[in-house]
């Protein structure tokens, strides 16, 4: 019940949801007989459209996402034969958190995955190659009679070159907090490399610390990639930017929820 309540509240506070509510209420008030209510309606419609424009702006969405993504550095490319960083070398598990997929049966597992999930599992397999003694843990629940998200992640990992006998699935989870507890129950005190989207990693790392997991944060799936140059495209409004803003707002709300419960 709490899980679905969190989802519902988070959905209502997403930029597009706020925009739609403001516009719909504003349009409803435009037919009100009182002039003051009609004026309020126009203001609400304008506010809704302004919310949409602001959160769809490229530069604003980057400003929202970048503070989240800058908190942990990615694991750099390691040339063949070069030493693996000690923090990574000591990890006995590479834990890849779930990120969603579609259930089209005719697609290979790598094409079923969402962009976030594909970025995460690709990084997980890359790190697995660097730590020969580690195992890959993938997480994600089942949806009805369809294969679990962990199963699709495992299939994608194997397709990308991960040995099947080194892949472990955790399926009885619904959110990041569930994942942290399940990983702790599986691996105990063993050190792990925690792989998830860079914008999601600060909250995930906090939850894994709370669960007592010795986790090395390893970001993937960056949304706000700096290129060192400013382009006029930064002034544009686009759906990709709205999506980036939505992910960022969702994470800030998640951090607020952790803080309210004393887990931040």
């Amino acid at each position: 019940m709490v899980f679905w309540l969190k989802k519902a509240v988070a959905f209502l506070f997403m930029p597009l949801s706020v925009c739609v509510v403001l516009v719909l209420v504003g349009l409803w008030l435009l037919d009100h007989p009182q002039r003051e209510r009609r004026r309020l309606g126009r203001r609400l419609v304008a506010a809704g459209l302004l919310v949409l424009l602001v959160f769809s702006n490229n530069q604003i969405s980057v400003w929202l996402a970048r503070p989240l993504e800058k908190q942990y550095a990615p694991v750099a490319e390691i040339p063949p034969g070069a030493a693996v960083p000690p923090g990574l070398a000591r990890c006995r598990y590479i834990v890849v958190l779930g990120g969603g997929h579609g259930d089209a049966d005719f697609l290979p597992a790598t094409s079923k995955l969402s962009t976030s999930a594909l970025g995460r599992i690709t990084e997980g397999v890359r790190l697995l190659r660097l730590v020969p003694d580690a195992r890959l843990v993938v997480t994600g629940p089942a949806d009805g009679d369809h294969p679990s998200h962990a199963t699709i992640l495992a299939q994608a990992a194997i397709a990308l070159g991960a040995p099947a006998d080194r892949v472990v699935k955790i399926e009885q989870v619904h959110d990041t907090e569930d994942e942290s507890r399940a990983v702790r129950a599986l691996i105990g005190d063993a050190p792990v490399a925690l792989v998830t989207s860079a914008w999601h990693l600060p909250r995930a790392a906090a939850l894994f610390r709370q669960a007592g997991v010795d986790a090395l944060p390893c970001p993937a799936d960056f949304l706000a990639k700096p290129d060192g140059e400013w382009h006029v495209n930064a002034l544009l409004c686009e759906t990709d930017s709205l999506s980036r803003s939505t992910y960022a707002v969702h994470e800030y709300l998640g951090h607020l929820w952790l803080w309210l419960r004393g887990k931040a």
Side-chain angles (χ1 to χ4, degrees), residues 206-251:
L207 286 168
F208 272 72
R209 283 194 300 270
Q210 283 287 328
V213 179
D214 181 6
L216 172 70
C218 299
D221 179 41
F222 286 79
L223 295 179
K225 303 181 183 73
D227 58 13
E229 297 182 5
W230 186 87
H231 300 282
V232 69
N233 290 346
L235 301 176
L236 299 179
C237 295
E238 55 188 11
T239 55
D240 285 347
S241 297
L242 178 60
S243 177
R244 187 186 296 121
S245 294
T246 300
Y247 283 124
V249 170
H250 183 274
E251 286 307 303

Side-chain angles (χ1 to χ4, degrees), residues 102-217:
D103 288 308
D105 293 334
F106 64 92
L107 293 176
T110 50
S111 295
K112 290 180 182 179
L113 294 177
S114 69
T115 302
S116 294
L118 182 59
R120 297 176 188 186
I121 197 63
T122 302
E123 179 67 2
V125 172
R126 181 178 80 92
L127 299 183
L128 188 69
R129 293 194 181 107
L130 298 174
V131 191
D133 296 330
R135 302 183 74 184
L136 183 70
V137 178
V138 292
T139 68
D143 182 12
D145 296 329
H146 298 290
S148 69
H149 183 54
T151 296
I152 303 302
L153 283 173
Q155 292 172 352
I158 294 168
L160 292 170
D165 59 355
R166 294 175 64 191
V167 180
V168 181
K169 297 185 294 183
I170 295 179
E171 298 174 303
Q172 303 304 317
V173 291
H174 292 93
D175 58 17
T176 309
E177 193 161 1
D178 283 351
E179 290 170 321
S180 67
R181 294 168 179 163
V183 169
R184 170 65 181 178
L186 173 69
I187 59 95
D189 295 326
V192 308
L194 177 61
V195 180
T196 187
S197 300
W199 43 268
H200 176 242
L201 189 53
R203 183 163 62 94
L207 286 168
F208 272 72
R209 283 194 300 270
Q210 283 287 328
V213 179
D214 181 6
L216 172 70

